[in-house]
C-alpha cells in the first residue's frame, strides 16, 4: 500500500515514522513517503492527486500550505471536511477522490487523553491564529458549544474565514480580536482553554510565543500548543511558570494520523501498543540526531 504526505516544507515531519510503524504493526506491506511540493512547481499538486484517482497511491495526508488548496481537486468531501473547509486526508472510494479531515477528532481525542473532555461542559477558549489548522480547532470547539476569543494579527484578513465558519450553524460563539487585546480579553472572562495554532515558537524560532510575556497565564487554564517541536515551546514554558496544565501537539498528531490510517486501511491501531513502539523509536531517532 502506497501512502504519502503532500506539503512544504516537510523535512521535520514525523508522519512517515507514525505511518510506517502503523503499517508494520498491521503486518501490511507498503510505505509512507514525503512528497514535498514547492509552490513554484505548478501542476504537481494536481498530478499527485491524480495518482489517487488512478489507484497508484492509496492515500495522502495534506499539510501546510495545501489543506485548503486541495479542496478543488476532490470529487467528494466528508461532512467534517465540508464544514471545516480544509482537508488533511485523501482517499479513493468507488473510483471517486474523497477529502476528509481528521485534525478535528484528533484534537478532541488528545485533549480528552490529557484530561479535558470538550464534549462534557462548554467553556471559554482563546485561540491564536486563523490558518488551516485553526479551522479544525474552531469547528471542534464550536460543535460542542464553546465560546471562542480568536486572537489574530490581522483581524480584517481573518474575518472571511470566521464568517464562513459562523455560517455553518454550529452552536458555540466566536469573537475575533487582535492579539494586542489579550489583556482586555482576560479582564472580562474566565478562560478555560488556550490553543496555539500559529507557528510561533516552532523550531528554529523557539523563543517566540503568541502569549505576550508581560501578561500572566491564569493558573486554572489548560494550555494546548499544536506545535510539538520543540517538546516544550515558549508558550508551554510560560504555562509551567504559571502553574497551568499544558500539552504539546504530539498527541493530536498521532491521533489524527491513526484516524487517517483507519480511513485508508479499515484497521484500528491499538493505541497503547503503538505509543510504546513510537516513543522508543522517537527516542532512538533523537539520540541519533544528537550524535
Ligand atoms: P497556516 O495555515 O500557515 O496558519 C498559521 C496561522 O498563524 C495564520 O493565521 C497566520 O496569520 C498565523 N501566524 C503566522 N505567523 C504569525 C506571527 N508571527 N504572529 C501571529 N500570527 C502568526 O498553518 P497551519 O496549517 O494552521 O499550522 C500552524 C501550526 O500548527 C504549525 O506549527 C503546524 O506544524 C501545527 N500543526 C500541528 C498539528 C498537529 O497535529 N499537532 C496539525 C496541524 C498543524 P496570517 O493569517 O496573518 O498569516
Amino acid at each position: 500500500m502506497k501512502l504519502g504526505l503532500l506539503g512544504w516544507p516537510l523535512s521535520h515531519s514525523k508522519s512517515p515514522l507514525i505511518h510506517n510503524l502503523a503499517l508494520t504493526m498491521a503486518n501490511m506491506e507498503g510505505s509512507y513517503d514525503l512528497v514535498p511540493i514547492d509552490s513554484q512547481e505548478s501542476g504537481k499538486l494536481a498530478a499527485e492527486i491524480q495518482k489517487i484517482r488512478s489507484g497508484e497511491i492509496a492515500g495522502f495526508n495534506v499539510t501546510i500550505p495545501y489543506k485548503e488548496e486541495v479542496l478543488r481537486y476532490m470529487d467528494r468531501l466528508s461532512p467534517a471536511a465540508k464544514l471545516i473547509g480544509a482537508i488533511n486526508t485523501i482517499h479513493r472510494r468507488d473510483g471517486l477522490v474523497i477529502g476528509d479531515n481528521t485534525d478535528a477528532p484528533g484534537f478532541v481525542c488528545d485533549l480528552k487523553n490529557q484530561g479535558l473532555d470538550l464534549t462534557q461542559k462548554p467553556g471559554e477558549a482563546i485561540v491564536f491564529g486563523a490558518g488551516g489548522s485553526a479551522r479544525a480547532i474552531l469547528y471542534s470547539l464550536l460543535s460542542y458549544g464553546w465560546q471562542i476569543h480568536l486572537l489574530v494579527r490581522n483581524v480584517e484578513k481573518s474575518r472571511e474565514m470566521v464568517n464562513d465558519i459562523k455560517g455553518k450553524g454550529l452552536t458555540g460563539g466566536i469573537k475575533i480580536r487582535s492579539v494586542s487585546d489579550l489583556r482586555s480579553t482576560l479582564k472580562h472572562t474566565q478562560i478555560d482553554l488556550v490553543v496555539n495554532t500559529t507557528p510561533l515558537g516552532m523550531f528554529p524560532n523557539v523563543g517566540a510565543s503568541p502569549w505576550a510575556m508581560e501578561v500572566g497565564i491564569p493558573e486554572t487554564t489548560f494550555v494546548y500548543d499544536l506545535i510539538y517541536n520543540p517538546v516544550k515551546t515558549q508558550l508551554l514554558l510560560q504555562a509551567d511558570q504559571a502553574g497551568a496544565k499544558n500539552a504539546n501537539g504530539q498527541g493530536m498528531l498521532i491521533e489524527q494520523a491513526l484516524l487517517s490510517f483507519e480511513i485508508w486501511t479499515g484497521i484500528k491501531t491499538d493505541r497503547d501498543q503503538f505509543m510504546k513502539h513510537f516513543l522508543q523509536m522517537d527516542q532512538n531517532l533523537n539520540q541519533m540526531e544528537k550524535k
Side-chain angles (χ1 to χ4, degrees):
M1 171 174 272
K2 286 181 92 173
L3 304 167
L5 174 64
L6 307 174
W8 181 275
L10 296 179
S11 52
H12 287 284
S13 174
K14 287 191 181 185
S15 293
L17 182 67
I18 297 173
H19 288 286
N20 286 318
L21 174 58
L23 282 166
T24 307
M25 285 177 64
N27 283 322
M28 289 182 74
E29 277 195 24
S31 67
Y32 182 102
D33 300 304
L34 297 177
V35 185
I37 302 178
D38 187 338
S39 59
Q40 310 295 321
E41 297 175 277
S42 79
K44 185 165 176 194
L45 190 59
E48 289 298 331
I49 291 166
Q50 189 57 29
K51 292 180 186 170
I52 300 251
R53 190 167 275 112
S54 69
E56 185 184 334
I57 303 279
F60 277 128
N61 278 137
V62 187
T63 188
I64 304 179
Y66 298 120
K67 284 185 177 179
E68 293 156 67
E69 197 175 332
V70 294
L71 283 165
R72 62 190 157 119
Y73 301 116
M74 300 298 114
D75 300 323
R76 205 164 276 172
L77 296 177
S78 71
K82 200 181 276 181
L83 282 169
I84 295 167
I87 288 169
N88 81 329
T89 307
I90 304 176
H91 70 293
R92 190 176 77 135
R93 200 185 323 124
D94 304 328
L96 299 177
V97 177
I98 299 171
D100 207 331
N101 193 310
T102 63
D103 279 335
F107 169 68
V108 176
C109 187
D110 188 45
L111 265 185
K112 193 173 175 194
N113 296 341
Q114 307 289 344
L116 181 62
D117 190 346
L118 297 179
T119 68
Q120 287 304 305
K121 186 173 152 276
E124 296 216 15
I126 285 178
V127 176
F128 289 105
S133 58
R135 281 179 169 269
I137 304 307
L138 297 181
Y139 164 77
S140 307
L141 293 169
L142 292 172
S143 300
Y144 296 111
W146 281 63
Q147 297 299 319
I148 301 165
H149 306 268
L150 184 70
L151 299 190
V152 297
R153 63 177 171 183
N154 187 335
V155 171
E156 279 319 306
K157 185 180 162 202
S158 312
R159 214 179 282 287
E160 192 183 334
M161 185 275 261
V162 168
N163 286 340
D164 179 43
I165 207 144
K166 263 186 177 173
K168 302 280 167 86
L170 303 165
T171 54
I174 179 165
K175 284 183 193 142
I176 180 165
R177 291 187 175 165
S178 160
V179 274
S180 57
D181 293 334
L182 174 61
R183 208 187 280 275
S184 60
T185 303
L186 291 169
K187 213 177 257 176
H188 305 294
T189 41
Q190 189 200 317
I191 299 296
D192 306 288
L193 173 68
V194 171
V195 187
N196 177 34
T197 77
T198 78
L200 285 168
M202 188 162 71
F203 180 85
N205 302 313
V206 295
S209 169
W211 191 284
M213 293 297 176
E214 65 279 10
V215 181
I217 295 180
E219 192 184 345
T220 52
T221 300
F222 191 100
V223 181
Y224 194 89
D225 200 331
L226 260 63
I227 297 169
Y228 49 86
N229 182 16
V231 173
K232 273 282 175 190
T233 57
Q234 179 58 43
L235 173 64
L236 299 189
L237 291 172
Q238 288 167 266
D240 276 346
Q241 215 164 35
K245 286 188 193 154
N246 60 81
N248 70 25
Q250 179 165 288
M252 173 179 164
L253 178 80
I254 289 172
E255 296 298 344
Q256 61 81 27
L258 296 184
L259 287 167
S260 297
F261 190 77
E262 196 175 331
I263 289 172
W264 297 324
T265 63
I267 295 171
K268 218 176 165 67
T269 308
D270 182 308
R271 201 180 172 283
D272 291 342
Q273 282 295 319
F274 180 88
M275 285 313 291
K276 208 169 79 188
H277 294 302
F278 174 80
L279 292 173
Q280 186 61 56
M281 285 172 70
D282 197 37
Q283 197 180 359
N284 293 348
L285 278 175
N286 287 339
Q287 276 167 1
M288 275 163 60
E289 271 173 22
K290 275 185 195 149
K291 278 182 188 167

